[in-house]
PDB file of all heavy atoms in Angstrom:
ATOM      1  N   TRP G  74      30.779 -50.368 -73.037  1.00 91.00           N
ATOM      2  CA  TRP G  74      29.647 -50.195 -73.950  1.00 91.00           C
ATOM      3  C   TRP G  74      30.120 -49.760 -75.336  1.00 91.00           C
ATOM      4  O   TRP G  74      29.538 -50.152 -76.352  1.00 91.00           O
ATOM      5  CB  TRP G  74      28.630 -49.197 -73.373  1.00 91.00           C
ATOM      6  CG  TRP G  74      27.703 -49.880 -72.417  1.00 91.00           C
ATOM      7  CD1 TRP G  74      27.919 -50.149 -71.097  1.00 91.00           C
ATOM      8  CD2 TRP G  74      26.421 -50.442 -72.727  1.00 91.00           C
ATOM      9  NE1 TRP G  74      26.855 -50.831 -70.554  1.00 91.00           N
ATOM     10  CE2 TRP G  74      25.917 -51.021 -71.523  1.00 91.00           C
ATOM     11  CE3 TRP G  74      25.633 -50.501 -73.874  1.00 91.00           C
ATOM     12  CZ2 TRP G  74      24.679 -51.653 -71.457  1.00 91.00           C
ATOM     13  CZ3 TRP G  74      24.390 -51.128 -73.802  1.00 91.00           C
ATOM     14  CH2 TRP G  74      23.936 -51.702 -72.612  1.00 91.00           C
ATOM     15  N   GLN G  75      31.180 -48.985 -75.385  1.00 92.00           N
ATOM     16  CA  GLN G  75      31.752 -48.597 -76.681  1.00 92.00           C
ATOM     17  C   GLN G  75      32.321 -49.822 -77.382  1.00 92.00           C
ATOM     18  O   GLN G  75      32.159 -49.984 -78.602  1.00 92.00           O
ATOM     19  CB  GLN G  75      32.844 -47.541 -76.470  1.00 92.00           C
ATOM     20  CG  GLN G  75      33.317 -46.868 -77.744  1.00 92.00           C
ATOM     21  CD  GLN G  75      32.195 -46.179 -78.500  1.00 92.00           C
ATOM     22  OE1 GLN G  75      31.336 -45.526 -77.920  1.00 92.00           O
ATOM     23  NE2 GLN G  75      32.158 -46.340 -79.812  1.00 92.00           N
ATOM     24  N   GLU G  76      32.979 -50.690 -76.618  1.00 92.00           N
ATOM     25  CA  GLU G  76      33.484 -51.943 -77.179  1.00 92.00           C
ATOM     26  C   GLU G  76      32.322 -52.790 -77.695  1.00 92.00           C
ATOM     27  O   GLU G  76      32.402 -53.415 -78.754  1.00 92.00           O
ATOM     28  CB  GLU G  76      34.275 -52.727 -76.121  1.00 92.00           C
ATOM     29  CG  GLU G  76      35.532 -52.052 -75.626  1.00 92.00           C
ATOM     30  CD  GLU G  76      36.654 -52.045 -76.640  1.00 92.00           C
ATOM     31  OE1 GLU G  76      36.703 -52.947 -77.506  1.00 92.00           O
ATOM     32  OE2 GLU G  76      37.488 -51.122 -76.575  1.00 92.00           O
ATOM     33  N   ALA G  77      31.223 -52.808 -76.926  1.00 93.00           N
ATOM     34  CA  ALA G  77      30.037 -53.585 -77.308  1.00 93.00           C
ATOM     35  C   ALA G  77      29.467 -53.081 -78.630  1.00 93.00           C
ATOM     36  O   ALA G  77      29.076 -53.876 -79.497  1.00 93.00           O
ATOM     37  CB  ALA G  77      28.976 -53.505 -76.215  1.00 93.00           C
ATOM     38  N   ARG G  78      29.414 -51.757 -78.794  1.00 94.00           N
ATOM     39  CA  ARG G  78      28.907 -51.171 -80.052  1.00 94.00           C
ATOM     40  C   ARG G  78      29.813 -51.517 -81.223  1.00 94.00           C
ATOM     41  O   ARG G  78      29.331 -51.810 -82.324  1.00 94.00           O
ATOM     42  CB  ARG G  78      28.808 -49.643 -79.920  1.00 94.00           C
ATOM     43  CG  ARG G  78      27.694 -49.173 -79.011  1.00 94.00           C
ATOM     44  CD  ARG G  78      27.586 -47.643 -79.017  1.00 94.00           C
ATOM     45  NE  ARG G  78      26.774 -47.183 -77.924  1.00 94.00           N
ATOM     46  CZ  ARG G  78      27.228 -46.783 -76.745  1.00 94.00           C
ATOM     47  NH1 ARG G  78      28.536 -46.760 -76.521  1.00 94.00           N
ATOM     48  NH2 ARG G  78      26.414 -46.392 -75.791  1.00 94.00           N
ATOM     49  N   MET G  79      31.113 -51.476 -80.988  1.00 94.00           N
ATOM     50  CA  MET G  79      32.074 -51.781 -82.045  1.00 94.00           C
ATOM     51  C   MET G  79      31.911 -53.233 -82.522  1.00 94.00           C
ATOM     52  O   MET G  79      31.876 -53.506 -83.724  1.00 94.00           O
ATOM     53  CB  MET G  79      33.490 -51.551 -81.516  1.00 94.00           C
ATOM     54  CG  MET G  79      34.588 -51.770 -82.526  1.00 94.00           C
ATOM     55  SD  MET G  79      36.220 -51.624 -81.763  1.00 94.00           S
ATOM     56  CE  MET G  79      36.263 -53.114 -80.764  1.00 94.00           C
ATOM     57  N   VAL G  80      31.801 -54.152 -81.557  1.00 94.00           N
ATOM     58  CA  VAL G  80      31.615 -55.569 -81.907  1.00 94.00           C
ATOM     59  C   VAL G  80      30.258 -55.773 -82.587  1.00 94.00           C
ATOM     60  O   VAL G  80      30.138 -56.571 -83.519  1.00 94.00           O
ATOM     61  CB  VAL G  80      31.729 -56.462 -80.642  1.00 94.00           C
ATOM     62  CG1 VAL G  80      31.411 -57.918 -80.966  1.00 94.00           C
ATOM     63  CG2 VAL G  80      33.119 -56.350 -80.037  1.00 94.00           C
ATOM     64  N   PHE G  81      29.256 -55.029 -82.152  1.00 94.00           N
ATOM     65  CA  PHE G  81      27.915 -55.123 -82.739  1.00 94.00           C
ATOM     66  C   PHE G  81      27.952 -54.731 -84.209  1.00 94.00           C
ATOM     67  O   PHE G  81      27.376 -55.414 -85.069  1.00 94.00           O
ATOM     68  CB  PHE G  81      26.946 -54.213 -81.973  1.00 94.00           C
ATOM     69  CG  PHE G  81      25.500 -54.516 -82.204  1.00 94.00           C
ATOM     70  CD1 PHE G  81      24.886 -55.607 -81.596  1.00 94.00           C
ATOM     71  CD2 PHE G  81      24.726 -53.708 -83.026  1.00 94.00           C
ATOM     72  CE1 PHE G  81      23.553 -55.896 -81.805  1.00 94.00           C
ATOM     73  CE2 PHE G  81      23.385 -53.984 -83.250  1.00 94.00           C
ATOM     74  CZ  PHE G  81      22.792 -55.078 -82.635  1.00 94.00           C
ATOM     75  N   HIS G  82      28.659 -53.638 -84.496  1.00 93.00           N
ATOM     76  CA  HIS G  82      28.777 -53.177 -85.887  1.00 93.00           C
ATOM     77  C   HIS G  82      29.480 -54.227 -86.745  1.00 93.00           C
ATOM     78  O   HIS G  82      29.053 -54.531 -87.870  1.00 93.00           O
ATOM     79  CB  HIS G  82      29.544 -51.854 -85.930  1.00 93.00           C
ATOM     80  CG  HIS G  82      29.650 -51.284 -87.308  1.00 93.00           C
ATOM     81  ND1 HIS G  82      30.716 -51.546 -88.135  1.00 93.00           N
ATOM     82  CD2 HIS G  82      28.800 -50.487 -88.013  1.00 93.00           C
ATOM     83  CE1 HIS G  82      30.533 -50.931 -89.288  1.00 93.00           C
ATOM     84  NE2 HIS G  82      29.383 -50.278 -89.240  1.00 93.00           N
ATOM     85  N   LYS G  83      30.554 -54.790 -86.206  1.00 94.00           N
ATOM     86  CA  LYS G  83      31.296 -55.827 -86.941  1.00 94.00           C
ATOM     87  C   LYS G  83      30.432 -57.070 -87.160  1.00 94.00           C
ATOM     88  O   LYS G  83      30.473 -57.707 -88.214  1.00 94.00           O
ATOM     89  CB  LYS G  83      32.566 -56.186 -86.165  1.00 94.00           C
ATOM     90  CG  LYS G  83      33.495 -57.135 -86.910  1.00 94.00           C
ATOM     91  CD  LYS G  83      34.768 -57.366 -86.122  1.00 94.00           C
ATOM     92  CE  LYS G  83      35.691 -58.333 -86.859  1.00 94.00           C
ATOM     93  NZ  LYS G  83      36.927 -58.613 -86.082  1.00 94.00           N
TER      94      LYS G  83
END
Side-chain angles (χ1 to χ4, degrees):
W74 276 83
Q75 191 58 42
E76 296 288 333
R78 289 185 194 95
M79 183 185 71
V80 175
F81 197 76
H82 183 268
K83 187 176 179 182

